[in-house]
Amino acid sequence: MWRAAFICILALVGCSGSDSSGSNGTGGAAGAGGAAGAGGLAGAANAEQVKGWARQVALGTEYGSGDKVIARWNTSPSLSVVQGTAADRVHLDELIPVLNKELGANKIQVVTDGDEGAQIRVYFVPLAEFDGIGQKNGFPVVPGNYGYFYMFWDQSRALTKSFVLLATDVLSGDQLRHYTFEELTQSLGMASDSEVFDDSIFYASGLEGGDATELSSLDKRLLRFVYARTTPGDGPAAFDAAFDQFF
C-alpha cells in the first residue's frame, strides 16, 4: 500500500495533490461503502458515515484556504496524453470509459496525444521531469511525489485546466494503475482523501494511503452525484440538501 498526501495552494486559482511511496496498515471498513451504495441509503446502518465521507471527499481540499465548496468541470473537458507511451496509458484508457459513465454531460473527450492545449493534460514521465512541467505551466510541484495532480479553477470554482503527472521510472504494475486511477479521478474536483472506506480510491489514513486499483461502487456513485446534482461553488448547506434528496 502507498502513502497519499494532498496540498492545496491558498489562492483561488489552483489546487494540487500528490502521492508518494510508503508502507500502509489496515484501516477503514472494507466493503462497507459498497453495501450502502448498492441500493440507496434509506435505513442503511452506515448512512451518516457515508454522508460524512462524501462531504469530506467532495468539498474543498485537504489543505489550504479552508473553503469547503464544490470545484468541478462545468464543460466536457478535453484530455490529451502529452507525454507517454502506449504501454504507459493502458490503465488510463481503461479508466476514462468508467469515469464517463458517471460524468453525464461532462464526459471527458480524448484528443490527439501531445496536445498542450487540452484542458486535462497527462504526463507519463520520469520523476525528474516533474519540476520542469510545473515551471512551464505555472504550478508548483512538491518534491518526492510519484503521482501528482494540479487543478486550476475560475472564481466560480469551475475547473479550467488540470495536470496529471505520473513517474514512470518509479511506478509500474498495480502501483501505476492505482496512481493513474486516483490522480485522474481527483483531478475532476474531488481533491480530498478520507480514512473511512479502504476500498475507495480516495482512501488515506494519516500518512498511509490505499492501494485500490478500481473505483468502488461508492466512488462511482459520488462522482455521478457531484456531476448531476451539484454546481461549482456549492457549499456544505447546498451539498447536504442535494445529498439528502438525491444520493
Side-chain angles (χ1 to χ4, degrees):
M1 298 186 184
W2 310 292
R3 169 186 165 193
F6 290 87
I7 302 162
C8 185
I9 305 308
L10 291 173
L12 287 178
V13 295
C15 172
S16 65
S18 55
D19 288 295
S20 59
S21 65
S23 61
N24 185 25
T26 59
L41 291 180
N46 64 341
E48 286 303 312
Q49 185 183 40
V50 172
K51 185 176 182 179
W53 167 84
R55 189 189 295 116
Q56 182 180 7
V57 169
L59 290 177
T61 52
E62 188 168 350
Y63 303 106
S65 65
D67 293 340
K68 298 297 183 183
V69 298
I70 290 289
R72 71 165 180 85
W73 292 98
N74 225 8
T75 62
S76 185
S78 56
L79 179 149
S80 176
V81 176
V82 179
Q83 292 179 241
T85 68
D88 292 335
R89 63 179 294 161
V90 166
H91 303 304
L92 180 76
D93 291 338
E94 181 180 337
L95 174 61
I96 290 171
V98 174
L99 296 175
N100 279 347
K101 287 181 180 179
E102 315 303 339
L103 290 174
N106 303 105
K107 290 179 173 59
I108 296 168
Q109 305 293 325
V110 179
V111 298
T112 305
D113 287 357
D115 185 350
E116 295 187 281
Q119 291 163 296
I120 302 174
R121 303 170 208 175
V122 182
Y123 296 79
F124 294 95
V125 295
L127 182 62
E129 295 185 21
F130 280 21
D131 281 343
I133 294 168
Q135 291 171 12
K136 179 179 178 180
N137 292 284
F139 63 88
V141 174
V142 178
N145 295 295
Y146 304 156
Y148 196 83
F149 75 91
Y150 196 96
M151 308 181 303
F152 290 88
W153 54 66
D154 63 20
Q155 290 298 315
S156 74
R157 288 299 180 101
L159 299 182
T160 57
K161 56 184 175 180
S162 293
F163 295 84
V164 175
L165 283 58
L166 296 155
T168 53
D169 59 333
V170 179
L171 302 174
S172 62
D174 283 348
Q175 282 189 324
L176 180 58
R177 182 180 179 88
H178 168 78
Y179 288 139
T180 299
F181 272 54
E182 182 176 9
E183 305 304 325
L184 182 58
T185 303
Q186 294 203 296
S187 78
L188 300 175
M190 282 155 286
S192 292
D193 286 346
S194 172
E195 61 183 15
V196 177
F197 300 120
D198 65 2
D199 63 340
S200 169
I201 203 70
F202 306 112
Y203 176 78
S205 180
L207 296 178
E208 298 176 344
D211 58 2
T213 55
E214 305 285 349
L215 271 65
S216 72
S217 60
L218 268 186
D219 293 342
K220 295 174 185 177
R221 186 168 176 171
L222 179 60
L223 185 62
R224 181 167 66 251
F225 165 76
V226 166
Y227 273 84
R229 300 298 185 180
T230 75
T231 59
D234 281 354
F239 180 90
D240 286 352
F243 186 96
D244 291 342
Q245 184 173 0
F246 297 113
F247 197 90

